[in-house]
Every structure is written in structure tokens, then in C-alpha cells.
Amino acid sequence: MTLSESASTGLFDQAYREALATLSDGSVHRKFDPYLDIDWDAPEFVIDPDDPRWVLSPEHDPLGATRWYRELPIHRQIEIGRWRTANAIKVGAAFESVLIRGVMQYIMKLPNGSPEFRYCLHEMTEECNHIQMFQELVNRIGVDVPGMRPIFRALSPFIGVAGGFAPAILFIGILGGEEPIDHYQKALLRDGANIPPAVRRTMQIHIAEEARHISFANKFLEAHLAHMSPAGRAAAAVAFPVVMRWLAGEIMVPPRSFAKEFGIPREVFAEAFWRAPHSRRILSGYFGDVRRLAADLGLMTPVSAKLWALLHVDGEPSRHRGEPVRRIA
């Protein structure tokens, strides 16, 4: 089925419209339901709180890489890893809700016949399924985690709605939230997914559908930035690294209550997020694809390049979408 045509939608070229039609078709025919595609009560998906696979990866998790964590007794590593995993999942659900608020605010202002309306609704439907999937998993893990850090959690309803009035910044923000999660999950699966099976299955589903969402965000920015003024493009160039760094902190850094509950020393927390060279390489590694996009869109200006470096999110751009970061030393 092709997208409907309208004389009011001539701003965008046929290639963009065809890309949206392809993405919409994928959402119709290649989709997941959290209660059909995960057999939550299957024996292999039963949550074992003492499963050693809760231990955080020293390669891909910045806290798991610290000597302090690696020298803890195994039962303590498991307990901390289970809490951190559950909280990261809860954060993912919260970010999806921010995305939905912003995109809904954006599309309800679109004219009839807009080529974006249908796909955005497909994406929000999938994000609602992700929220259900994530919350079901958090419930079964059985740890009462807060999710987002307090200030962002309080402001998130307003951030989402405000984003709907600045669509380019909204979709830069969508990439800022989706890319770290997507990168982290792919890295764990590539390394053999030594994680509890229920967590692995939710990651597999999330990665499969986020590929469409990230592709759309890239194409959206390409289409819209082409029609922005030089001042608007300059603002977007600056926003890219600032938003990436801000949202990497909100998405990947646990709240201070986590450190307090598990007695994590302040210097260890600072080392992990993001003071140590190893953790900064992890941080930078989240954004290879975004750096490639910024360069392709002409947004890697001398000013913005300095910001990428200042905020420790610079580095080589990916050679292709989804290129894995070579082993972090």
C-alpha cells in the first residue's frame, strides 16, 4: 500500500515519500507483540535473582569496568548488576514515553496528506509495545527501581511536548536517546549475550524495531534540514553534540540513589560516569553513527566539532550504519 497523495505535501521529494512507505510497510508486516512474541511463563524465561549472568560486562558497562566492581564478592556483583539492568530497562520505557509525547505533538499539527503522519503513528504504536515489554520485564525482575534521574523524570512531560514544536531538535533528541541504548544492546548480543534469556529476548525485539525508528530519524533530519535556514542549520549543528552528551547522561547514568543503596564510593561513580579514559571511550563509542550522520548532513562544522571534542563524544564516524566499535582497551 502506498502513502496517500496530497497537493499540500510537495515540500518533500519522492525518495523521502518512498522511504516512509517502505518503513510503514515494515511496521505492518514485520512487527512484534510483547505478549505474543515472548512466552513470559516459559521455563527458560524465569527470572533467577542469583543468576551470575546479571554481572555487568567489564567491556561494555562503565561501572562493570571499574576495579571496585570487579573486586566485589560475586553475590554483590550480581545484586548490583540486577538493579542496574532493571533500572536501565525502566529508563528505556520512560524515554519511549518522552518520544511519544513529542512525536504526537508534532504530527497533530501536520496538514492532511502529510507523508509522515502514518509512519509516525506506526512508530508510536511500536514504542507503546516496547513500554509494555520493558515494564513487564522490570516487574518480573522484581527490583523496585526508579528509572530516570529525578530532575529529568519531573521535566520529561514538558520536554516531550516542547520537542513537538522544534521537530529537528526533537529528532536529534530521539537519536540521542535511542543510539546509546541500541549500541549497548547490540554490543552485548555480539559478545555472546551472556545475560538472562528474558533480557536477551527483549533486546532482540527492541533492536529489530529500533532499526526502523533510527532510520526514520536519519531520513527525517535529512529531509527537514534541507529546508532550514542557515541559522537553523547552525543551531542544529551545535545542538547535535550537546543533546548527545546530555541524553547519554540521562539514559546511561543511574540515579544517585543507586550509589547510596550499594555504597558505591563517589570517586568510583565519577570514574565510571565518565571520568576514566575507558568509560569515555565507551561514551564516545555510542555515537559513531550519529557523527557520520552529522558529517553527511554538513553539520560537523568547526564550531560543532570543537563541542563534540569538549563534551567527550567525538571520535571516528562509523564507516557504515551499525558498525561495531572495535574492542575498547
Side-chain angles (χ1 to χ4, degrees):
M1 179 184 294
T2 59
L3 294 180
S4 55
E5 297 289 340
S6 170
S8 65
T9 62
L11 182 65
F12 302 114
D13 62 21
Q14 186 62 24
Y16 183 51
R17 295 181 62 84
E18 289 175 357
L20 289 168
T22 299
L23 291 168
S24 292
D25 185 71
S27 290
V28 170
H29 298 290
R30 300 172 186 86
K31 60 185 177 182
F32 297 90
D33 184 287
Y35 295 104
L36 292 177
D37 295 292
I38 303 177
D39 185 357
W40 293 103
D41 296 323
E44 64 268 27
F45 288 158
V46 171
I47 299 295
D48 178 2
D50 299 317
D51 190 334
R53 289 174 292 190
W54 292 116
V55 173
L56 299 173
S57 165
E59 182 68 27
H60 304 297
D61 189 279
L63 180 63
T66 63
R67 175 179 292 183
W68 177 86
Y69 178 80
R70 297 195 308 270
E71 292 179 350
L72 290 173
I74 185 64
H75 71 88
R76 194 62 168 167
Q77 290 187 46
I78 291 170
E79 186 180 11
I80 290 173
R82 188 173 71 252
W83 196 103
R84 174 152 167 73
T85 300
N87 196 71
I89 295 164
K90 182 77 172 181
V91 167
F95 178 77
E96 307 285 35
S97 76
V98 176
L99 181 157
I100 290 168
R101 290 184 183 103
V103 174
M104 183 62 77
Q105 187 70 33
Y106 169 68
I107 69 167
M108 296 313 294
K109 298 188 273 70
L110 293 176
N112 294 331
S114 166
E116 296 164 341
F117 188 92
R118 176 186 166 192
Y119 176 72
C120 284
L121 279 171
H122 282 310
E123 180 166 325
M124 285 187 282
T125 299
E126 292 164 359
E127 299 294 21
C128 286
N129 282 338
H130 295 172
I131 293 171
Q132 284 189 310
M133 178 174 69
F134 290 157
Q135 188 59 54
E136 183 68 27
L137 182 55
V138 170
N139 294 346
R140 288 172 180 264
I141 292 172
V143 181
D144 188 19
V145 291
M148 289 284 190
R149 295 188 290 187
I151 293 177
F152 191 89
R153 186 166 65 249
L155 294 177
S156 61
F158 308 102
I159 293 171
V161 171
F165 293 95
I169 303 302
L170 170 66
F171 278 86
I172 289 172
I174 287 172
L175 289 176
E178 288 180 338
E179 287 283 2
I181 297 172
D182 187 65
H183 175 90
Y184 179 70
Q185 291 178 343
K186 284 179 178 176
L188 290 179
L189 294 184
R190 286 184 180 120
D191 273 5
N194 187 33
I195 50 182
V199 178
R200 181 176 64 247
R201 182 60 180 146
T202 61
M203 285 185 178
Q204 290 168 338
I205 290 174
H206 189 245
I207 288 169
E209 293 193 324
E210 286 302 306
R212 281 197 295 267
H213 303 174
I214 291 171
S215 177
F216 172 60
N218 289 352
K219 293 180 184 302
F220 180 97
L221 288 171
E222 180 181 2
H224 284 258
L225 285 166
H227 298 280
M228 289 178 65
S229 67
R233 291 177 61 83
V238 170
F240 245 107
V242 173
V243 171
M244 295 305 120
R245 178 61 185 85
W246 168 49
L247 288 176
E250 298 297 344
I251 297 293
M252 303 305 293
V253 181
R256 285 285 178 179
S257 60
F258 170 63
K260 183 177 180 181
E261 180 169 345
F262 292 103
I264 302 173
R266 182 177 295 271
E267 62 273 15
V268 171
F269 199 87
E271 173 191 348
F273 307 108
W274 306 91
R275 189 172 296 171
H278 179 88
S279 64
R280 284 186 177 173
R281 284 191 288 273
I282 291 175
L283 173 64
S284 173
Y286 295 148
F287 298 117
D289 290 344
V290 179
R291 290 190 293 268
R292 167 56 61 197
L293 176 64
D296 289 347
L297 296 178
L299 301 182
M300 194 62 76
T301 65
V303 172
S304 67
K306 290 180 180 178
L307 273 175
W308 283 95
L310 181 66
L311 297 172
H312 305 293
V313 288
D314 60 329
E316 291 296 320
S318 298
R319 292 174 295 180
H320 55 80
R321 170 74 201 154
E323 180 186 10
V325 175
R326 305 310 166 191
R327 186 162 297 276
I328 299 173

